[in-house]
Amino acid sequence: MSCSEDKKFSIAVVAGDGIGPEVISEARRVAEAAASADGVSLKWTEYPFGASHYLRTNEILPDSALNEMRAHSAMMLGAIGDPAVKPGILEQGILLRLRFEFDQYINLRPAMSLPNVPTPVPLNGRKIDSVVIRENTEDLYMGLGRVSEDGRLDAPMDLKRGGYSLTGRLSLEISPSMAFAAQTALNTEFGVERITRHACQMARRRGESVITVVSKSNAVPALYGFFEEIARKTADREFPEIKCNMANVDALCYHLVRDPAAYGVLLCPNLFGDIVSDLQAGLAGGMGTAAGGNIGDGLSMFEPVHGSAPDIAGTGRANPIAAVLSGALMLRHLGLDGSAGRVERAVSKYLEGSRGQDLPIEFGGNFTCRQIGEAIIKNI
Ligand code: IPM
Ligand code: MG
């Protein structure tokens, strides 16, 4: 590849619903400004998927679009979900489908103290600098669930993942007959090994010698006892300098609230990672600044942790920092460490230099989504 080809990246974009388009628009402008300062250009392909496209066309996410997306260097996603669409349809049909189709097995969710961003718990001068590494393709998120109205259930449980395919049936009968629901969770050796590897690499990069494995083996021993065992074995075998601290998720939540600055890498199965990443985002300053990435060996996708917030969509009240910082994660993933650092420093500088009024509305200022984007760009 020639040098000039090296300097172009194509990015697929699903801005999505609610505040998605407005925050993504700022994230794009900031990422472009940072990358162009390093002589790199970003080319964006927009996809219309989300609630209004679905309501208009009945189309959720066609296979043809997946194939096109695959050819991009990375993807950005704003937010999916709208009160006009039954909960679950778009979340599963777009967001989870993208994560599974592209085998984005790492959900990366850092949380950091940022200047002038209030935290709900006193930190006594310490700083939060933690990262949830959430397994993103297994656990209770396999989509293998059924409701039985008549006390019997006999359903295929077939699925494909990046590294394996699963076939079989779930066959159950309950007596006395009554309606029930069953959802199957799976953690595989393959899945736990690869996410543990990533968590340990992250700890190594951060210069840390401990990861916290978020589990619940005392009550759910097969699923989470297995997760712990494979995580420990993988770390012992491949990262002898890194120690796994096992923590039951309930106790971990308690300690996270009492002392959020005490944690570094939190390795989580999918469901606990979903919950714990919201908790740590809340502790570090809120959804307005919580960035995320869905990373795999193929197409990776970067999205803020927050949802579509339809109540404030179009009002300018949305805080684009979470999307902007997700853009920084994307730049780093593309190997553009310099540009990523530029974005992160620009966000910090903007917040640090704020004198109140020019803070995001959620932090007591009156800056709109657009104005925040502009202020960050000025600091690039
Ligand atoms: C998240 C969200 C999703 C999840 C929903 C919208 C399906 O909560 O990205 O954390 O559960 O993973
Ligand atoms: Mg969530």
Side-chain angles (χ1 to χ4, degrees):
M1 222 187 246
S2 82
C3 188
S4 67
E5 273 168 329
D6 276 340
K7 296 195 162 184
K8 272 193 197 120
F9 290 95
S10 59
I11 316 293
V13 189
V14 176
D17 304 322
I19 61 170
E22 37 199 295
V23 298
I24 286 295
S25 155
E26 300 315 311
R28 278 174 61 164
R29 296 195 313 134
V30 174
E32 262 167 14
S36 80
D38 290 324
V40 173
S41 71
L42 305 174
K43 188 173 157 290
W44 309 85
T45 315
E46 288 171 21
Y47 291 91
F49 308 115
S52 57
H53 181 80
Y54 171 65
L55 292 170
R56 209 173 51 242
T57 63
N58 218 27
E59 180 176 73
I60 300 182
L61 176 64
D63 291 347
S64 58
L66 285 175
N67 287 331
E68 272 181 51
M69 288 166 176
R70 209 181 292 279
H72 290 74
S73 319
M75 179 164 176
M76 284 211 79
L77 184 136
I80 296 292
D82 187 284
V85 182
K86 191 172 161 239
I89 294 181
L90 301 174
E91 290 86 342
Q92 278 163 45
I94 299 179
L95 185 60
L96 296 181
R97 175 134 189 252
L98 286 167
R99 290 178 183 169
F100 300 157
E101 288 281 346
F102 296 120
D103 198 29
Q104 296 163 344
Y105 64 95
I106 303 158
N107 190 196
L108 169 70
R109 293 186 160 176
M112 274 136 329
S113 301
L114 290 166
N116 284 322
V117 172
T119 57
V121 172
L123 297 175
N124 305 320
R126 297 170 73 199
K127 288 203 160 88
I128 297 177
D129 178 12
S130 65
V131 55
V132 165
I133 303 292
R134 167 188 179 192
E135 200 294 320
N136 214 22
T137 61
E138 300 195 318
D139 204 37
L140 259 180
Y141 273 69
M142 304 292 275
L144 300 173
R146 285 283 198 287
V147 175
S148 162
E149 299 297 343
D150 64 0
R152 286 161 193 268
L153 192 153
D154 184 41
M157 297 264 143
D158 299 333
L159 63 73
K160 264 190 121 34
R161 282 291 181 266
Y164 54 89
S165 58
L166 181 78
T167 53
R169 307 189 72 76
L170 182 64
S171 189
L172 299 168
E173 188 168 341
I174 196 164
S175 156
S177 173
M178 66 183 96
F180 71 96
Q183 185 107 26
T184 304
L186 235 85
N187 286 317
T188 65
E189 181 177 45
F190 166 81
V192 183
E193 274 183 356
R194 66 179 180 171
I195 196 67
T196 303
R197 231 168 252 140
H198 185 80
C200 291
Q201 277 156 3
M202 175 64 75
R204 212 175 244 180
R205 223 173 301 149
R206 292 164 55 99
E208 293 166 4
S209 57
V210 176
I211 64 169
T212 303
V213 180
V214 183
S215 178
K216 187 66 194 172
S217 57
N218 56 356
V220 192
L223 195 59
Y224 298 121
F226 178 82
F227 193 98
E228 284 182 13
E229 189 192 315
I230 302 296
R232 193 193 307 275
K233 273 192 191 153
T234 307
D236 283 353
R237 190 177 60 235
E238 297 174 33
F239 301 84
E241 84 280 17
I242 292 179
K243 180 172 176 280
C244 292
N245 272 351
M246 303 301 169
N248 284 321
V249 63
D250 50 346
L252 187 264
C253 288
Y254 174 82
H255 291 298
L256 253 184
V257 169
R258 311 276 299 186
D259 191 6
Y263 292 88
V265 176
L266 296 159
L267 168 61
C268 302
N270 207 339
L271 181 66
F272 300 153
D274 178 47
I275 300 165
V276 168
S277 59
D278 270 30
L279 175 58
Q280 71 154 9
L283 290 166
M287 283 299 172
T289 58
N294 301 277
I295 298 170
D297 301 328
L299 183 79
S300 296
M301 170 172 87
F302 296 82
E303 49 155 347
V305 179
H306 63 66
S308 57
D311 52 323
I312 59 163
T315 65
R317 298 181 67 87
N319 183 352
I321 291 179
V324 167
L325 291 176
S326 304
L329 295 178
M330 177 181 79
L331 293 171
R332 185 163 293 119
H333 178 76
L334 293 173
L336 303 172
D337 288 22
S339 310
R342 218 183 276 283
V343 171
E344 287 160 352
R345 282 192 304 277
V347 168
S348 286
K349 267 201 239 158
Y350 151 61
L351 289 167
E352 210 165 358
S354 290
R355 262 173 273 307
Q357 273 208 338
D358 47 354
L359 281 171
I361 294 171
E362 67 167 336
F363 303 145
N366 59 20
F367 257 31
T368 62
C369 187
R370 185 106 250 241
Q371 288 173 306
I372 298 166
E374 252 145 41
I376 295 170
I377 289 172
K378 278 203 196 109
N379 282 294
I380 295 266

